[in-house]
Amino acid sequence: MTDKNFMVDNSTRTDLFSPIKLGEIELANRIVMAPLTRGRMNEEGVPNDLNITYYIQRASAGLIISEATNISAQGRGYAKTPGIWTEDQIAGWKKITDAVHSASGKIVMQLWHVGRCSHVDLQPNGEAPVAPSAIKADGNSYTNNGIVEVSMPRALKIDEIPNIVEQYRHAAECAKRAGFDGVEIHSANNYLLEQFLRDSTNHRTDQYGGSIANRARLILEVVEAVTNVWGDGRVGIRLSPITTEVGNTPLDSNVMETYGYLIQQLNKFKLAYLHFVEGITGKSRSVPEGVDLNALRSLFDGAYIGNNNYDLEIAISRRAEGKVDAVAFGRPFISNPDLVDRLRYGIELAHASIETHYGNGEKGYIDWPKANSFHIESSCSKS
């Protein structure tokens, strides 16, 4: 199948295909591959040859953001997802980063702790998932026994929180050893860090709850720990101020004030970029009344990556208006490993059915063909 929503006149002028520098990371173009959970790892979370092929096929993206990667056994919320806390995981990822670099690509790792969005079958010793407060998510998890309702979490004790920060620090160090160009802190989609930030999921009364500053405290401690490992300009962060995914999670009671405070505090860390989910993740770009995402974006001093249901027309428009520095495409990269060329030369995109998104081995993972040279030459001749 093809998707004509991405078709534009290839005479359109845009700098989306020109180089850009995000912090200290130099990109060949402004097309970013968004993190895509694909469920193709083994139970130990160690990358394999299939994963190497998948990533090298997509190395023409200006930047690849890896699929969300668990920072610890406690951080897991879905079976067959990768990790970055063991020596075997480091070695597996090193093969991927070497392959991407050999193809002149750039890749950062997304660091992930799901918090309450997990199931006891995925947790060490069958323990309850951890969260800022003992509030159950409304959603499912994928285990080796199939799709199951998430488990009731337990609230983290105050003396356990430094270990959460240490998990992120250790994972950042492991990612550096694995040869990544940087890391992205996953503070979006209502996983652990965003669970601490929102007053809908954080009912604590200690120094990590209550005020906006207290609820933002863990995120800022994690960012400090990770940037201490990587230095300036090689750490990004992903935020999703108005998404209800995952877990059908309510928004914070004051989106603008809460996320505005956080973004201004992030500026002191000289991050490589801010990666924003503009709307409800994977569903809608609509914005609730009283929220101005452009105003939030303007508070950030560094580069901005826009994400969520972009097509090329939206990307060109928002880039021309100076509202994005780069654009992250997710699902189109699943079925179009050469997405950058297809967008650049106006070649129709293949469309992947949802059945191919998770699991299934090679099928729907590494068997998508690239556009041949005839397609590209024909498109160029028309420009």
Side-chain angles (χ1 to χ4, degrees):
M1 298 176 64
T2 56
D3 187 344
K4 295 185 178 181
N5 290 330
F6 282 79
M7 296 294 291
V8 296
D9 187 319
N10 58 13
S11 64
T12 300
R13 298 290 182 180
T14 180
D15 66 355
L16 284 173
F17 305 103
S18 301
I20 184 177
K21 191 173 183 180
L22 303 183
E24 295 300 315
I25 308 172
E26 296 183 358
L27 280 57
N29 57 71
R30 298 170 186 260
I31 307 297
V32 175
M33 177 174 159
L36 293 162
T37 295
R38 303 301 308 278
R40 260 81 168 191
M41 297 285 171
N42 64 19
E43 185 59 22
E44 288 72 41
V46 177
N48 53 53
D49 290 345
L50 202 64
N51 310 130
I52 297 171
T53 300
Y54 170 77
Y55 278 104
I56 199 171
Q57 285 177 340
R58 291 154 178 81
S60 60
L63 179 67
I64 295 174
I65 304 174
S66 82
E67 59 203 281
T69 303
N70 305 304
I71 62 171
S72 66
Q74 182 196 69
R76 293 179 73 217
Y78 307 89
K80 299 180 181 179
T81 52
I84 189 63
W85 73 90
T86 73
E87 292 299 319
D88 286 346
Q89 292 164 352
I90 294 169
W93 277 113
K94 184 66 165 62
K95 294 176 182 178
I96 290 175
T97 61
D98 285 348
V100 170
H101 292 151
S102 72
S104 300
K106 298 292 174 65
I107 182 169
V108 299
M109 168 169 278
Q110 189 185 65
L111 304 178
W112 189 31
H113 191 307
V114 304
R116 69 180 189 156
C117 301
S118 186
H119 188 272
V120 293
D121 287 353
L122 296 165
Q123 291 292 305
N125 304 313
E127 298 172 359
V130 298
S133 302
I135 303 171
K136 188 175 179 295
D138 178 15
N140 297 318
S141 180
Y142 174 69
T143 74
N144 290 325
N145 296 316
I147 297 175
V148 297
E149 189 176 307
V150 296
S151 299
M152 180 70 183
R154 67 172 181 84
L156 282 160
K157 298 176 182 177
I158 189 77
D159 60 1
E160 292 179 296
I161 292 180
N163 182 55
I164 298 294
V165 178
E166 172 57 22
Q167 289 176 32
Y168 278 96
R169 189 209 63 78
H170 176 68
E173 189 175 76
C174 290
K176 195 170 189 179
R177 291 174 55 202
F180 283 88
D181 296 292
V183 293
E184 175 177 293
I185 298 169
H186 195 350
S187 185
N189 293 359
N190 299 303
Y191 292 117
L192 182 67
L193 294 183
E194 193 161 46
Q195 290 163 24
F196 266 86
L197 183 63
R198 292 189 181 186
D199 57 12
S200 64
T201 48
N202 183 345
H203 294 179
R204 301 178 73 96
T205 58
D206 58 21
Q207 67 195 67
Y208 290 91
S211 69
I212 292 173
N214 281 355
R215 286 184 277 118
R217 188 184 306 277
L218 178 58
I219 297 175
L220 297 175
E221 288 179 348
V222 166
V223 172
E224 181 176 22
V226 172
T227 53
N228 282 344
V229 171
W230 277 92
D232 293 345
R234 292 196 177 270
V235 178
I237 191 167
R238 192 184 201 199
L239 302 180
S240 58
I242 58 173
T243 191
T244 53
E245 300 294 324
V246 295
N248 195 27
T249 304
L251 301 185
D252 185 81
S253 64
N254 192 329
V255 171
M256 294 300 293
E257 188 174 351
T258 297
Y259 287 83
Y261 171 84
L262 174 62
I263 291 169
Q264 291 178 86
Q265 292 300 307
L266 290 172
N267 284 328
K268 65 183 180 183
F269 296 104
K270 299 180 181 179
L271 299 179
Y273 61 82
L274 170 62
H275 180 190
F276 232 45
V277 178
E278 299 169 351
I280 300 175
T281 307
K283 292 186 176 181
S284 168
R285 290 184 57 82
S286 62
V287 178
E289 186 177 350
V291 175
D292 185 342
L293 294 183
N294 289 324
L296 289 176
R297 175 261 181 273
S298 69
L299 296 174
F300 187 66
D301 290 342
Y304 175 84
I305 301 175
N307 182 316
N308 201 40
N309 285 345
Y310 270 80
D311 59 22
L312 187 54
E313 184 177 1
I314 296 173
I316 289 173
S317 174
R318 286 183 62 76
R319 175 63 199 137
E321 295 168 357
K323 293 179 178 177
V324 297
D325 295 296
V327 176
F329 292 92
R331 285 167 292 184
F333 263 112
I334 291 176
S335 49
N336 301 276
D338 57 343
L339 181 66
V340 175
D341 277 346
R342 287 177 182 263
L343 295 178
R344 177 185 282 134
Y345 299 115
I347 301 169
E348 284 190 308
L349 304 190
H351 175 71
S353 65
I354 194 169
E355 290 78 17
T356 67
H357 288 187
Y358 309 106
N360 298 324
E362 293 185 11
K363 183 173 176 57
Y365 188 59
I366 62 168
D367 58 352
W368 297 99
K370 293 185 177 182
N372 58 39
S373 58
F374 171 78
H375 286 125
I376 295 175
E377 290 171 5
S378 176
S379 298
C380 289
S381 68
K382 295 176 184 177
S383 61

